[in-house]
Amino acid sequence: MQETRICQNCQKEFIIEPEDFEFYEKIKVPAPTWCPECRLQRRMVWRNENKLYKRKCDATGKTIFSCYSEDAPVKVFDTNYWWSDKWDALEYGQDYNFAKNFFEQLRSLYKEVPLMSRSVIALINSDYCMNAGYLKNCYMLFDSDNDEDCLYGVSVYNSKKSVDNDYLESSELCYEDFLCDKSYKVFNSVSCKNCQDVYFSKNLKNCSNCFACVNLRNKSYCIFNKQYTKEAYKRVLANFDFSSWQFWETIGKKVEKFFLSFPNKYYHGWQNVDFSGDYVYESKNAKNSYFVYRNEDTKFCQFNMGGEVKDSCDYSIWGNKVELTYESSQVGNNAYGVKFCNLCFDSVQDLEYCISCVSSQNCFACIGLRNKQYCILNKQYTKEEYFPMVEKIKKHMNEMPYTDKQGRVYKYGEFFPPELSPFAYNETIAQEYFPLTKEEAIKNGYRWKDREKRNYNITLKTEDIPDNIKDVDDSILKEVIECATNNEEEKAKNNCSEAFKIIPQELEFYKKMNLPLPRYCPNCRHHQRLKNRNPLKLYKRTCMKEGCNNTFETTYAPDRPEIVY
């Protein structure tokens, strides 16, 4: 039977469907007390995706790169040291104290067990990257895998020699793209697939040699959706000065206005059956889900582009053979029966309330374990002792719940309280999807990290940057360049670095591809690309095509200027 409840966080009504209750019964958890949106926000505050800091390794004392700042309330080991046999997480084990509530004990353990500085694997000459694996000669790449010679990007996969991209897959020599796939030499474009030699375009498939086009299929030699001969197309493009920043600025504004006269499909994705959400691919019965690939029988899931996710709910980030997972984040690579966990991976099974555990099974409230089983608070138990003890702790969690500073009550069945997160709110992806001011964040119980004063000695003002890449020589590599963002609110929102440098690999790319120098720092460029990404929220709309009365749910809000079919 459908049930309406009040979210204990935002105080708004949310609905629990009969099939939801069936799932909760199946995995033996109580129904949630937070609404789906607040549950997602709560998981997101545990994900620092692209903010790197320098700090000391608590084992060796050497300076390392880390996702945790110096003032984060945790201990951090360099990633290589963390994976070594020089320490054992069981050494931090503690007895469960039934005189204290569960989350206070977990917080105490979390402050003691060292965490890996960055979530990375198999990086070659790619030190300035994070949440990434199998990269070679990459720089400032985040949430990315299997790339070579790529710079400045988020969610870049299986790609080569590309710069400033978000959500790029299996592509090469691409620049300033968002959500492009299997493409070659595609620039300043959005949602293009199987394309080549394309500029300033949107929603193209199997197209080549197109400029400022939208919604085309299997076309070549088009400009602003007008067909040209090959010779005429080349003559027109010969008049465009692609090496000029002023040209890119002017044409960009013209193209943006041009796009508004064309319809948009109500969602992004393909080959789905019985689904709802956006950015959904090859999925079946995936409900209210976003950025998911090959999901089946899932609900309230996000960013599971690793694929093959089944029978899971409220699960964010990763994928790759995951089943029966609930209220967890950053879990993947063969995971089964994982509940209320963060950053657990590689053949994990039947974990609850665990953090940074690898290749472990049947563990409860553990941190940093590898290849372990039957542990509670990092203390080893026998199989016969483990299961009765876990049931006793769950009962204790309900009898002595944790109450946070906002008066929100945490019994068994709730994800970690936000105040246990090692990150400030504006360090995490929560700020990208649920932006808050400092005052709002603190009011809602989150930490906030003030922007550090950079005090850079800027040697090149924005207005003095050469307009044309042809006028740039290697001396630019010595310059500290001013970021063009001058609005203080925008700076805070974008985590603007206020200044930036051009690295040799980057300059070589601009010269080879005949592209002007950027005017904004990498963080601001990233946030400009994110404007192409729709929110993780559905609105009821009616098709805007004349004579069509179809209704649907879409991430395009009713007050947006786009035409939506």
Side-chain angles (χ1 to χ4, degrees):
M1 182 176 178
Q2 186 184 87
E3 188 174 320
T4 300
R5 297 192 176 183
I6 301 296
C7 173
Q8 71 158 321
N9 182 53
C10 68
Q11 307 303 314
K12 295 179 181 177
E13 289 185 350
F14 69 101
I15 294 173
I16 303 178
E17 303 285 358
E19 61 265 28
D20 299 333
F21 282 112
E22 291 175 9
F23 177 78
Y24 302 143
E25 177 64 27
K26 182 177 182 178
I27 63 172
K28 295 181 172 55
V29 299
T33 66
W34 291 41
C35 70
E37 192 170 90
C38 288
R39 298 198 298 267
L40 169 59
Q41 185 180 20
R42 181 170 60 178
R43 293 193 300 275
M44 281 182 166
V45 300
W46 289 79
R47 169 74 167 185
N48 172 4
E49 188 160 270
N50 57 5
K51 293 173 180 60
L52 270 176
Y53 300 97
K54 284 186 177 181
R55 64 168 292 159
K56 298 290 185 182
C57 170
D58 286 301
T60 65
K62 72 176 184 178
T63 300
I64 58 174
F65 291 114
S66 175
C67 63
Y68 307 100
S69 65
E70 282 280 10
D71 54 3
V74 291
K75 293 180 179 178
V76 177
F77 282 179
D78 174 70
T79 299
N80 291 332
Y81 193 98
W82 190 92
W83 281 103
S84 74
D85 295 328
K86 297 178 180 179
W87 73 289
D88 185 353
L90 287 182
E91 295 175 356
Y92 299 86
Q94 57 188 51
D95 292 319
Y96 192 85
N97 186 346
F98 286 94
K100 293 183 178 180
N101 72 61
F102 168 78
F103 283 109
E104 286 180 351
Q105 296 178 70
L106 185 63
R107 174 169 25 205
S108 176
L109 181 66
Y110 192 51
K111 289 182 176 180
E112 294 300 318
V113 182
L115 306 175
M116 68 175 82
S117 58
R118 294 179 294 153
S119 180
V120 296
I121 186 170
L123 303 190
I124 299 174
N125 191 30
S126 303
D127 289 342
Y128 291 82
C129 300
M130 186 169 68
N131 298 316
Y134 307 99
L135 305 183
K136 183 178 180 181
N137 302 328
C138 293
Y139 182 77
M140 297 296 282
L141 220 58
F142 305 98
D143 186 35
S144 300
D145 291 303
N146 301 299
D147 302 307
E148 187 172 346
D149 298 314
C150 291
L151 318 175
Y152 305 113
V154 174
S155 301
V156 177
Y157 307 107
N158 307 302
S159 296
K160 294 181 178 180
K161 299 178 181 178
S162 297
V163 177
D164 273 316
N165 299 282
D166 287 355
Y167 300 98
L168 184 73
E169 170 76 36
S170 303
S171 298
E172 187 171 352
L173 292 176
C174 289
Y175 176 67
E176 278 290 5
D177 294 331
F178 179 86
L179 202 67
C180 290
D181 182 23
K182 296 180 176 66
S183 293
Y184 179 77
K185 289 187 178 180
V186 172
F187 307 93
N188 275 69
S189 295
V190 178
S191 299
C192 291
K193 183 176 182 179
N194 293 325
C195 292
Q196 180 174 334
D197 293 303
V198 166
Y199 292 84
F200 293 99
S201 293
K202 179 180 179 182
N203 192 26
L204 305 191
K205 287 186 180 178
N206 305 318
C207 293
S208 64
N209 295 286
C210 289
F211 181 91
C213 291
V214 57
N215 293 351
L216 297 186
R217 302 290 182 267
N218 308 305
K219 299 293 183 183
S220 297
Y221 307 115
C222 296
I223 301 174
F224 283 98
N225 280 37
K226 180 181 177 182
Q227 184 68 63
Y228 287 72
T229 65
K230 179 179 179 179
E231 294 73 19
Y233 178 85
K234 288 187 174 182
R235 282 198 301 270
V236 173
L237 257 64
N239 294 320
F240 294 159
D241 190 359
F242 289 102
S243 59
S244 164
W245 172 262
Q246 188 59 50
F247 169 78
W248 283 71
E249 281 281 276
T250 303
I251 203 68
K253 293 174 183 177
K254 185 177 180 181
V255 167
E256 190 174 335
K257 185 177 180 181
F258 178 69
F259 285 169
L260 290 176
S261 61
F262 289 83
N264 294 268
K265 183 180 176 181
Y266 75 103
Y267 90 103
H268 304 82
W270 55 74
Q271 297 180 10
N272 300 298
V273 178
D274 192 22
F275 76 99
S276 62
D278 204 356
Y279 307 100
V280 181
Y281 306 89
E282 299 178 27
S283 295
K284 180 180 179 181
N285 192 32
K287 301 297 177 65
N288 214 305
S289 295
Y290 306 86
F291 290 98
V292 298
Y293 174 65
R294 290 187 179 175
N295 274 23
E296 184 174 348
D297 299 324
T298 59
K299 194 171 186 179
F300 305 129
C301 291
Q302 311 83 18
F303 316 117
N304 300 331
M305 298 302 286
E308 298 184 67
V309 178
K310 293 183 179 180
D311 209 9
S312 297
C313 185
D314 287 289
Y315 161 48
S316 304
I317 306 168
W318 210 335
N320 189 19
K321 297 181 181 178
V322 174
E323 190 170 351
L324 286 177
T325 291
Y326 173 64
E327 268 282 37
S328 294
S329 176
Q330 306 179 88
V331 168
N333 286 355
N334 297 299
Y336 182 92
V338 175
K339 296 176 281 191
F340 322 114
C341 291
N342 182 60
L343 202 59
C344 295
F345 52 93
D346 283 353
S347 300
V348 291
Q349 181 174 335
D350 297 320
L351 304 184
E352 295 187 77
Y353 292 105
C354 291
I355 300 171
S356 296
C357 289
V358 182
S359 303
S360 298
Q361 298 83 39
N362 292 297
C363 291
F364 193 93
C366 291
I367 298 168
L369 298 186
R370 286 177 284 152
N371 303 298
K372 297 293 189 290
Q373 57 182 338
Y374 309 123
C375 297
I376 300 171
L377 289 176
N378 285 35
K379 179 182 177 181
Q380 184 69 64
Y381 288 77
T382 65
K383 181 178 179 180
E384 292 72 25
E385 293 170 329
Y386 176 80
F387 291 104
M389 186 65 170
V390 166
E391 291 307 311
K392 189 175 179 182
I393 292 173
K394 290 179 181 178
K395 182 180 178 183
H396 176 252
M397 291 174 71
N398 293 329
E399 293 173 346
M400 187 184 288
Y402 176 84
T403 303
D404 68 14
K405 297 173 183 177
Q406 277 58 47
R408 298 172 295 208
V409 178
Y410 291 79
K411 299 181 179 181
Y412 173 73
E414 302 288 351
F415 190 70
F416 307 110
E419 58 194 38
L420 267 64
S421 171
F423 304 116
Y425 188 86
N426 56 328
E427 290 179 295
T428 70
I429 59 170
Q431 181 67 353
E432 287 188 4
Y433 290 93
F434 304 98
L436 299 176
T437 64
K438 177 180 179 179
E439 293 71 26
E440 290 169 336
I442 293 173
K443 181 181 177 181
N444 284 281
Y446 305 113
R447 291 194 302 113
W448 186 268
K449 186 172 179 60
D450 290 323
R451 287 175 59 233
E452 298 173 359
K453 290 186 177 181
R454 309 283 182 167
N455 295 321
Y456 288 127
N457 181 25
I458 293 173
T459 60
L460 186 63
K461 292 284 189 178
T462 302
E463 59 269 23
D464 297 327
I465 302 174
D467 175 70
N468 201 299
I469 192 64
K470 296 173 183 176
D471 298 323
V472 177
D473 58 31
D474 287 354
S475 65
I476 194 71
L477 302 175
K478 300 176 182 178
E479 304 285 4
V480 178
I481 306 171
E482 179 186 44
C483 178
T485 300
N486 52 25
N487 180 284
E488 289 303 318
E489 186 176 336
E490 261 321 272
K491 284 184 177 182
K493 178 183 174 183
N494 298 350
N495 190 35
C496 175
S497 61
E498 299 183 5
F500 62 100
K501 297 193 75 172
I502 302 295
I503 65 172
Q505 191 178 357
E506 181 183 3
L507 181 61
E508 180 184 351
F509 178 85
Y510 296 146
K511 283 186 170 292
K512 179 179 179 180
M513 306 312 297
N514 198 32
L515 301 169
L517 293 178
R519 266 55 178 171
Y520 297 89
C521 73
N523 289 345
C524 288
R525 302 198 301 262
H526 168 64
H527 279 270
Q528 287 173 345
R529 291 192 296 275
L530 288 187
K531 293 176 182 178
N532 296 297
R533 183 177 66 186
N534 284 10
L536 310 183
K537 186 175 183 178
L538 292 172
Y539 303 88
K540 291 185 177 180
R541 297 280 302 268
T542 300
C543 181
M544 296 173 70
K545 180 176 174 62
E546 187 176 352
C548 180
N549 295 317
N550 282 336
T551 58
F552 48 83
E553 289 184 316
T554 178
T555 53
Y556 289 95
D559 59 351
R560 286 178 55 159
E562 295 96 341
I563 300 167
V564 183
Y565 283 5

